[in-house]
Amino acid sequence: MSHSVSDMIIALDGPAGSGKSTTAKLVAQKLGLMYLDTGAMYRAVALKVYRSGIELTDSAALTKLLNTTKVEQVAENGHSKFLLDGEDVTEDIRTPDISLWVGPVSEHPLVREYLVSWQREIGKHGGLVADGRDIGTVVFPDATLKFYVEADVHTRAVRRQKELAARGIQQSVEEVEDAIRTRDLRDSTREHSPLRRAPDAVELDTTHMTIGDQVERVLYLVAKLKPQSKEH
Ligand code: DC
C-alpha cells in the first residue's frame, strides 16, 4: 500500500513519561503534520470537572458539562497551547493535582465518548501524529503506523520529575514514581479503553534511547512506508 505523508495518521500510545509526546511532537514537526495531544484533552476536561465541583456519578450534570465544553489545541510559535472554553489552561492542566484527578475523569465512559468523537473529527482527513493511551486501539484503529512507547518506571519518573522541576514544581523522584505507578495501574486496568499495545503496534522501548534516536526510529519506519514523502 502506498501512503502519502500528508494523509497519514501516526499513533503513539504508552504510559506516562515514556517519551511518546516528545517524540510525537518532533515527528509531527519533521513531517509537517499536526500533533494531537489527547492526554491534554483529558486533562482539560478534568480541570473543568474539578473546578465545577460536580460528582462524576451525576451523569446528567456531567453530560451537561461536556455539552458546553470546548477543548482546543492551537499552535503558537511552534508550541501547543490548550484552550478550555477559550481560556488558556496550558499550565493549569499539568499540575500534580490534575494528574491525580484526570484518572477517574478519563475513565468515565461519557468523557471518553465525547473526547474520542472529537479526536476522530479532528483526524478525519488524516495528516496527524496523535499520542495517548487508546489511539491505535480505539480512536484510530486504522492508523497508518502505530507505536507502543515504553520505558522502565524509574526512568519515566526521573524524566517527569525533571519536567516538573523545570516548571517550578518540586517533587522527589520517589513521589513521582509512586504517582506514575498508581496511574499506570489505573490506565491499564480500567474498564473502558485501557492502555494496551495494539497487536500491530511497533514497540519502542525508550529506556536507553535518546529523543533523537526515538524520532529517527519513527521517521525511518515512515520512510519505509513511503520513501518519496509528501506527494500524492
Ligand atoms: O499523557 P498524559 O499524562 O497527559 O495523560 C493524562 C491522563 O489522561 C492519563 O492518566 C490517562 C488519560 N488519557 C486517556 O485515558 N486516553 C488518552 N488517549 C490520553 C490520556
Side-chain angles (χ1 to χ4, degrees):
M1 214 202 302
S2 107
H3 296 280
S4 153
V5 169
S6 57
D7 297 340
M8 273 185 185
I9 293 190
I10 302 176
L12 291 99
D13 289 305
S18 58
K20 62 186 187 310
S21 49
T22 312
T23 309
K25 221 175 285 174
L26 290 168
V27 166
Q29 257 174 31
K30 288 264 181 200
L31 296 175
L33 300 177
M34 177 193 171
Y35 164 56
L36 182 67
D37 179 348
T38 65
M41 297 172 113
Y42 284 94
R43 286 171 178 272
V45 170
L47 179 65
K48 181 147 174 182
V49 173
Y50 184 70
R51 285 175 174 173
S52 73
I54 67 160
E55 295 291 336
L56 286 170
T57 46
D58 186 345
S59 299
L62 185 60
T63 302
K64 196 165 159 208
L65 179 141
L66 291 171
N67 287 337
T68 52
T69 296
K70 192 164 179 206
V71 179
E72 293 165 285
Q73 181 181 334
V74 293
E76 197 177 83
N77 304 325
H79 292 282
S80 289
K81 229 171 62 169
F82 294 92
L83 305 182
L84 173 63
D85 303 326
E87 176 195 347
D88 184 350
V89 293
T90 316
E91 288 296 319
D92 297 356
I93 59 174
R94 304 278 172 206
T95 62
D97 268 357
I98 292 299
S99 294
L100 276 179
W101 190 250
V102 68
V105 173
S106 68
E107 270 170 26
H108 203 293
L110 287 174
V111 174
R112 300 212 74 80
E113 199 185 312
Y114 166 77
L115 285 181
V116 168
S117 70
W118 182 219
Q119 290 154 13
R120 287 186 181 145
E121 179 61 27
I122 295 171
K124 71 179 173 198
H125 302 301
L128 84 167
V129 183
D131 76 343
R133 303 294 189 286
D134 60 344
I135 307 302
T137 50
V138 175
V139 184
F140 300 120
D142 299 326
T144 326
L145 255 181
K146 300 179 188 177
F147 292 88
Y148 188 78
V149 192
E150 252 294 9
D152 78 41
V153 68
H154 183 70
T155 305
R156 292 191 281 125
V158 170
R159 290 175 184 165
R160 252 310 129 88
Q161 193 263 348
K162 278 193 192 145
E163 272 171 34
L164 288 169
R167 300 205 330 270
I169 301 171
Q170 301 304 333
Q171 284 202 327
S172 67
V173 172
E174 290 70 28
E175 275 175 297
V176 178
E177 189 168 324
D178 269 358
I180 285 185
R181 282 185 196 280
T182 307
R183 206 134 66 89
D184 279 0
L185 185 69
R186 215 176 174 133
D187 290 348
S188 55
T189 56
R190 68 185 181 205
E191 189 185 345
H192 301 281
S193 305
L195 172 63
R196 293 246 184 289
R197 172 181 177 275
D200 51 348
V202 175
E203 267 192 63
L204 200 63
D205 185 333
T206 67
T207 308
H208 303 293
M209 287 174 99
T210 64
I211 292 167
D213 295 340
Q214 296 160 33
V215 173
E216 214 172 281
R217 177 80 189 134
V218 175
L219 293 176
Y220 169 75
L221 292 173
V222 171
K224 264 180 58 172
L225 282 176
K226 171 79 183 172
Q228 61 286 47
S229 60
K230 293 235 167 190
E231 297 161 16
H232 280 275

